[in-house]
Structure formats: C-alpha cells, structure tokens
Amino acid sequence: MGIDYSQLRDPNAEYTMRDLSSETMGVTRERGQGRDVEITDVQTTMVDGNFPWTLVRIYTDAGIVGTGEAYWGAGAPELIERMTPFLEGENPLDIDRLTEHLVQKMSGEGSIGGVTVTAIAGIEVALHDLAGKILEVPAYQLLGGKYRDEVRVYCDCHTEEEADPIACADEAERVVEELGYDALKFDLDVPSGHEKDRANRHLRPPEIEHKASIVEAVTERVGHRADVAFDCHWTFSADSAKRLAKRLEEYDVWWLEDPVPPENHDVQREVTQSTTTPITVGENVYRTHGQRRLIEEQAIDIIAPDMPKVGGMRETRKIADLADLYYVPVAMHNVASPVATVASAHVGAAISNSLAVEYHSYELGWWEDLVEEDVIEDGYIEIPEEPGLGVTLDMDAVESHMVDGEELFDEA
C-alpha cells in the first residue's frame, strides 16, 4: 500500500489566516437552479504520451464530472491527492475562490512556482470543465466570451537530422503542404559541430552561422506561406543571445524563443531591447507575478505562458490582460494532451491579444485518439460550443496509453 498523500500533515495548511474555504468564508447560501453542487472526489491518471501527461478528474454529488490536465511530469498527482481534502464539500462554481484557497493552503509547499502551481492548474482546468457543464455553457463563456470562433495553432516541428538546414526546410515544407499548418517552430539549440564547451553558454561565430543557415533555409523555403519561430530553450549567454538575434534580423523570423535562462529578467530585457528580432519568453515563469516584470519592463515582444503550467485558465487570462496594457500579443506554449490543448484554445478565444497556441505532438499518431472529438483541422482549433471544454475522454485510449503502474480513474 502506497502513501496516502491526502493525509500528510502541514501546520501551514492546517492553520492559515487566509483559509478561504466556504465554511470559513461563510459561503453557505443556497443558490438554486441546479447550482447547489458539491465536490466529492478528485482523481488523476498519468498518460504516457510524448510527455507524461497528468489528467485530472473532479467528481460531484450531482454526478457531473469535470476533466482537466496539469503540466506534465512527476509530483503533480501526489500534490493533487494532497489537495483533495481542501476541495471536498466545496461548490465547484467558485473557481477563483477555490484556486486561491489552494494557493493559500499549499503556501508552505511552494505554491508561488513549480509543480505545486501546475498541480493547482490541473484542478483549475477541471473546474472550468465542470462549471461549464453545470451551467451548460462552454468554458470560454466563463472567461468573458469570445473574440474568435477558431484559434490558430503553430506546429512544433522536428526531424531526425535536426542540425541539417536542408532537412529542416524539407520538414517545414511537408508540414505546410501536407498537414496544412501556416505557423511553425523549429529548435535552434542543436549541435553545430563547432562547439568547444557545452557548459559556458557561449556561441562561437561558426555556431551562430550554423543557426543562421537553419533559419535562412526554413524561412526561404516556406516564404509567406507560413510564419516560423525558433526556440533556444534558455541555452545561451547574454552576449551570445544578442549576437544571434542580431544575425537573424535579416530573416523573416516570427520570434526567437527563450534565448537566455529564465531567472534574470534584467538580462532578458537587455537582450530583447538590443534587437529587432522579436523575442518570446514565458513558459518557465509562474503565475501573473512571475510574468509581470517581463511585461511591465518591456523585456519581451511576445509573452508565452503555458496555461496548465502557469496556473490555469483564469491565470492565463490575467496575464493576457496585463500584456494587453502594453500591446503585447500572447502565444501560448503548449506540450499537452488534447484536454489542455483545447482548454488553451478556450483561453485563446476569450482574449483579444491571442496570437496562437502550440501543438507539440504531430509525430504522435494517437494524440487525438485520447478524446472522441476532432481537435485540430488545417492548423486551427474550432472552439467547441458544448458545455465545459467540449472534449470527451476516450477511456479505452487513456487506459491503453497509461504510464506503467498507473491506475485508471473512475468513469463519469
């Protein structure tokens, strides 16, 4: 028998001056019209996709179930189990209060960043699905309505010869011509054969020229048929990032993503303001507070929060609203299953400054099999009008792709 994480003791959680439970807050008035619903359980199942996705289910005494997804990786299922007692008996319609309740309860366990935030985000997404089903409205309606009926998707592209400019250009053309995408992304933190030291973050001139050759080959091959971004995965020094971005200014680069490590926003600002190449950052900082300086100090040209990582759907909406004050567009990073991908699309529909949502699984043949509905068509996601997120898990597909040793959660 394993550990019962729901019973772990934490003095901070047991006593906090900002306990936001319905009992403490006095939120007990009957609501009527089928809105008096209580949470009875929260369960998770981890699916072995191209990332280990944590799917989340919230169960209620009304028999209505909400499905969400936390950002991938270890720790989220245990933390969600840990938080389940804080949700039991609560009304799932109070999404803001319950999310903040979890943040306060989990403050001693790191709810300002990291996996604790992503675990809360998975619950928050499931609450949107659940609340939408209870109220019989799509999730975007809970975020204020929609600006668009469909959201653009950019395809994160890969090839076995990722350091070969021609191979990258060939794949770009294939994805545009055969798969129908008009927005792409390729990695630039790939071996060039000119490296001298992998630890010092320094780019030698031949390395910069190699990366420029990839950018040139891909952008010239697809021309105006597609926008193309390039990802650096927080790899380079400040000076190297500046020189690389400067070198790429002559090409039609949609954006250069994460050229320097994410911790030092001062350096990020310097890099961004040193070049006309658009710079995108955001997937590795948490909640609105984590994104605030990037936006307010104009340290980015495009903000890229990862919805199930940054804190959830409403948190992403808050980030987008802050970004809009500085006329900054939002391109959501996304490496999720269809569940969080569609949830991100709901956010993208509800914010004015949505640019695109990432799709990172085009090489995984069964990605869309996890849900009963079609998700991406010709490079766009049509926003569902069904209640909640508008996607239904195929439980057989989930079961067949679970991580070894995992258990399937209960059906609705």
Side-chain angles (χ1 to χ4, degrees):
M1 183 176 179
I3 298 171
D4 184 353
Y5 290 94
S6 67
Q7 299 303 310
L8 291 183
R9 291 194 68 247
D10 176 7
N12 290 308
E14 292 169 10
Y15 175 76
T16 172
M17 289 301 292
R18 289 202 76 227
D19 185 318
L20 302 180
S21 65
S22 58
E23 181 179 4
T24 302
M25 297 297 295
V27 183
T28 58
R29 185 176 299 170
E30 290 188 5
R31 309 183 189 203
Q33 299 179 326
R35 292 179 292 127
D36 291 298
V37 179
E38 291 188 3
I39 295 171
T40 57
D41 195 14
V42 184
Q43 299 178 14
T44 63
T45 293
M46 188 176 286
V47 172
D48 191 13
N50 54 329
F51 296 86
W53 301 311
T54 296
L55 303 180
V56 184
R57 277 208 150 168
I58 299 178
Y59 299 80
T60 68
D61 61 354
I64 305 172
V65 174
T67 301
E69 181 178 350
Y71 190 77
W72 67 272
E78 291 84 355
L79 284 163
I80 291 169
E81 182 181 344
R82 169 84 179 90
M83 291 183 278
T84 297
F86 307 143
L87 294 168
E88 291 173 336
E90 293 284 351
N91 191 312
L93 295 176
D94 296 337
I95 300 173
D96 267 2
R97 179 177 61 81
L98 293 179
T99 302
E100 187 62 21
H101 180 49
L102 295 179
V103 169
Q104 294 300 318
K105 282 288 191 180
M106 299 298 288
S107 60
E109 296 175 62
S111 58
I112 64 169
V115 68
T116 305
V117 171
T118 69
I120 293 172
I123 292 170
E124 195 259 15
V125 174
L127 287 172
H128 276 87
D129 186 43
L130 184 51
K133 290 174 179 176
I134 293 170
L135 299 175
E136 298 185 347
V137 296
Y140 72 77
Q141 203 71 64
L142 303 174
L143 299 171
K146 65 180 177 180
Y147 281 87
R148 52 194 65 85
D149 286 331
E150 57 183 13
V151 170
R152 193 182 189 192
V153 176
Y154 74 89
C155 185
D156 191 291
C157 300
H158 300 274
T159 172
E160 291 183 1
E161 301 174 88
E162 60 182 356
D164 181 0
I166 301 305
C168 291
D170 289 344
E171 182 64 359
E173 187 167 42
R174 186 187 76 84
V175 171
V176 171
E177 292 293 328
E178 297 181 15
L179 304 185
Y181 290 91
D182 64 0
L184 317 174
K185 186 169 76 175
F186 284 84
D187 292 343
L188 276 190
D189 57 324
V190 295
S192 67
H194 301 290
E195 293 82 7
K196 296 293 185 183
D197 189 324
R198 286 182 173 272
N200 61 23
R201 303 189 183 279
H202 179 69
L203 282 174
R204 301 172 60 241
E207 295 176 77
I208 289 179
E209 289 307 310
H210 171 258
K211 298 181 191 315
S213 69
I214 293 175
V215 172
E216 180 180 27
V218 172
T219 55
E220 289 190 357
R221 182 71 67 86
V222 299
H224 295 299
R225 293 177 294 167
D227 294 313
V228 189
F230 297 89
D231 199 344
C232 300
H233 293 108
W234 331 282
T235 302
F236 308 126
S237 68
D239 172 70
S240 293
K242 291 176 184 178
R243 289 186 290 114
L244 175 62
K246 190 71 175 177
R247 177 66 179 85
L248 300 183
E249 286 180 351
E250 65 181 276
Y251 304 115
D252 189 13
V253 174
W254 199 14
W255 71 70
L256 187 66
E257 185 171 331
D258 291 320
V260 294
E263 296 89 350
N264 192 323
H265 287 3
D266 294 326
V267 172
Q268 181 62 64
R269 181 183 62 248
E270 291 176 9
V271 171
T272 299
Q273 295 180 357
S274 73
T275 180
T276 59
T277 299
I279 303 295
T280 299
V281 176
E283 70 172 276
N284 245 10
V285 289
Y286 295 87
R287 306 189 69 208
T288 308
H289 290 293
Q291 312 272 351
R292 180 181 60 82
R293 281 191 60 203
L294 290 173
I295 296 168
E296 290 182 347
E297 297 181 12
Q298 300 178 61
I300 40 85
D301 296 302
I302 300 167
I303 197 75
D306 189 299
M307 186 278 298
K309 184 177 187 180
V310 78
M313 297 173 70
R314 298 180 81 80
E315 194 73 24
T316 305
R317 162 99 220 201
K318 293 175 185 177
I319 294 165
D321 288 343
L322 177 59
D324 197 42
L325 296 179
Y326 292 84
Y327 318 127
V328 170
V330 178
M332 277 176 268
H333 181 268
N334 174 61
V335 294
S337 83
V339 174
T341 300
V342 171
S344 294
H346 276 278
V347 177
I351 60 176
S352 64
N353 49 344
S354 176
L355 196 60
V357 173
E358 183 176 12
Y359 174 49
H360 206 289
S361 304
Y362 79 115
E363 297 168 298
L364 190 69
W366 52 267
W367 182 84
E368 203 162 82
D369 295 343
L370 282 181
V371 296
E372 296 177 3
E373 297 81 6
D374 294 331
V375 176
I376 302 173
E377 185 173 352
D378 295 329
Y380 284 79
I381 297 174
E382 184 176 333
I383 307 304
E385 287 297 330
E386 292 76 14
L389 297 181
V391 289
T392 308
L393 285 178
D394 185 314
M395 297 298 281
D396 291 335
V398 172
E399 186 172 19
S400 66
H401 295 292
M402 290 190 303
V403 171
D404 289 344
E406 182 61 282
E407 294 183 4
L408 186 65
F409 41 39
D410 297 338
E411 289 202 47

